[in-house]
Amino acid sequence: MFADLAHNTKYIISVNGYEDLPFTASLGNPTRIEISAKDAIGGEVLTTNKPAEIIVTYFDEKNVEVTPANPTVIFRLEERSTDGSYYLAGKNLTIKKEGAKAVVIAEYQGRIESGKRVGQLDTQRLFTAVAQAPVVVKDLSGKTFRCG
């Protein structure tokens, strides 16, 4: 059986011939978020003139990755580029100038409980760009090497 469970709601699993099993559902509410860029080296080095999707990863208090059903996240830049070297369009960051740096801030809007918004989180990350992304080679032991 699959069902959408409500956070902090008590449920009982009942099967004929077995003892009832009560439990309280938990959605694994985020207590920390991290941001990175899709296809970026180390999550933060981008290729110039190539839009990179900003990805949010959510973690609960036990450092387990959790993703809310419909997270509302607002992305913004710490500072606006005065020379047009970078811009943010929705959740896509483009850095147009090699060596330029941009700080992206992600604000998770939390959830509504008992009519109140709770669990808001924010974080930021510095992104930089290179003319051409270095080649990353992984050996069989999982070590990462950067070439170029």
Side-chain angles (χ1 to χ4, degrees):
M1 177 180 110
F2 295 97
D4 290 329
L5 303 177
H7 178 67
N8 244 359
T9 301
K10 294 184 180 193
Y11 295 92
I12 298 174
I13 297 174
S14 182
V15 178
N16 289 337
Y18 294 92
E19 188 176 330
D20 287 351
L21 176 65
F23 71 95
T24 302
S26 173
L27 296 179
N29 291 314
T31 57
R32 179 176 64 87
I33 60 174
E34 291 182 0
I35 57 176
S36 61
K38 188 175 183 180
D39 299 327
I41 303 300
E44 60 192 22
V45 178
L46 313 179
T47 304
T48 55
N49 292 309
K50 183 178 177 188
E53 180 182 354
I54 304 299
I55 306 293
V56 179
T57 306
Y58 305 82
F59 299 93
D60 69 7
E61 67 278 353
K62 295 180 181 175
N63 208 32
V64 174
E65 187 176 335
V66 295
T67 301
N70 296 302
T72 301
V73 179
I74 297 171
F75 296 105
R76 63 184 172 85
L77 292 168
E78 184 179 56
E79 294 179 4
R80 179 178 279 174
S81 172
T82 57
D83 64 358
S85 59
Y86 58 86
Y87 62 92
L88 184 66
K91 61 180 179 177
N92 294 301
L93 174 64
T94 302
I95 300 180
K96 297 167 64 175
K97 192 175 180 182
E98 184 177 6
K101 297 178 185 211
V103 175
V104 175
I105 298 170
E107 299 173 347
Y108 169 58
Q109 299 302 297
R111 62 196 178 281
I112 304 295
E113 285 186 9
S114 303
K116 294 182 182 178
R117 184 169 296 283
V118 297
Q120 297 98 322
L121 301 167
D122 62 55
T123 192
Q124 64 183 31
R125 187 154 190 183
L126 173 68
F127 295 93
T128 189
V130 294
Q132 184 176 358
V135 175
V136 175
V137 179
K138 287 189 177 184
D139 69 5
L140 296 177
S141 65
K143 294 179 183 173
T144 301
F145 300 92
R146 293 184 183 179
C147 307

